[in-house]
Amino acid sequence: MVSLNVIATLRTCYTDKFGVPRQSGLVPSAWGIVEFEPAYRRVEAVRGIEAFSHLWLITRFHLVAEEPTSLTVRPPRLGGNERRGVFATRSPFRPNRLTLSVVKLDRVEWDGDLAPRLFVSGVDLVDGSPILDIKPYVRFADAISESVSGFADEAPPQVPVHWSAESAVPDEVRIIIDQTLALQPQPAYHDDTHREYATEIAGWRVKWNATTTGAHVKSCVFVG
């Protein structure tokens, strides 16, 4: 039996798992804050981390409650219609539900009751994700120029995002919404252009339709 300690919790702009980017870095404006558990909330634990631009976060898909019943999954990149082995994908429906994400380290907060805290961006995780470990991204070892990535060799295509209604959403939140919806978070097999989708991003409830001309925001309301 392997026992793992949660060292921190990741607070992010995504309070709803629907709409979360399928890979890190695809939404550069998506922010997160690493808040350490009391036992690890010590300056010496992160001393020197500010010298690195990016970090690896090892976390757990804590909102995936069900046990996987199969060792094959249907990757969204393949339209949700083809099966691949779970270990040949990054699906959350996997044994142990572990995930690995690269995030940009924007700054370290050294003072305050919750310090040290790490402010990061480019996250692809839902708010409240438990962090099991943090490691610095090392360019010479982690960036393999000759690597091949199978069916996910290129970033997913993006579509235009249109706002059909005026909204008081702040510019910094609108950027996150635009970057998120441009990635077409709805299931690939849905083709009903009148179907309405909804999710919560940075405290705003956003509803949109996906059409042949892009994502159309119908409403965006602050919910706190």
Side-chain angles (χ1 to χ4, degrees), residues 126-145:
V126 73
D127 183 61
S129 292
I131 300 176
L132 303 176
D133 204 356
I134 300 171
K135 293 185 177 184
Y137 180 93
V138 179
R139 185 172 57 186
F140 80 87
D142 296 338
I144 303 174
S145 60

Side-chain angles (χ1 to χ4, degrees), residues 153 164 173 217:
D153 204 37
S164 304
V173 175
V217 178

Side-chain angles (χ1 to χ4, degrees), residues 1 6 27 38 53 99 132 148 174 185 200 203 216:
M1 175 65 69
V6 174
V27 179
S53 65
T99 181
L132 303 176
V148 177
R174 180 163 177 159
E200 188 175 316
H216 293 260

Side-chain angles (χ1 to χ4, degrees), residues 186-187 189-197 208-210 218:
Q186 69 276 0
Y189 54 84
H190 284 184
D191 57 5
D192 182 359
T193 59
H194 298 290
R195 183 167 186 161
E196 187 173 83
Y197 301 95
W208 77 97
N209 297 115
K218 312 302 290 185

Side-chain angles (χ1 to χ4, degrees), residues 22 73-85 88-89 149-153 156-157 187-189:
R22 296 187 177 108
V73 295
R74 301 177 187 268
R77 288 295 296 273
L78 297 176
N81 297 315
E82 297 183 42
R83 285 195 171 274
R84 290 291 188 272
T89 75
S149 302
F151 63 83
D153 204 37
Y189 54 84

Side-chain angles (χ1 to χ4, degrees), residues 31-48:
W31 55 262
I33 305 173
V34 176
E35 296 184 344
F36 288 95
E37 293 296 310
Y40 304 96
R41 194 180 299 158
R42 301 172 65 172
V43 168
E44 58 263 37
V46 295
R47 183 175 293 129

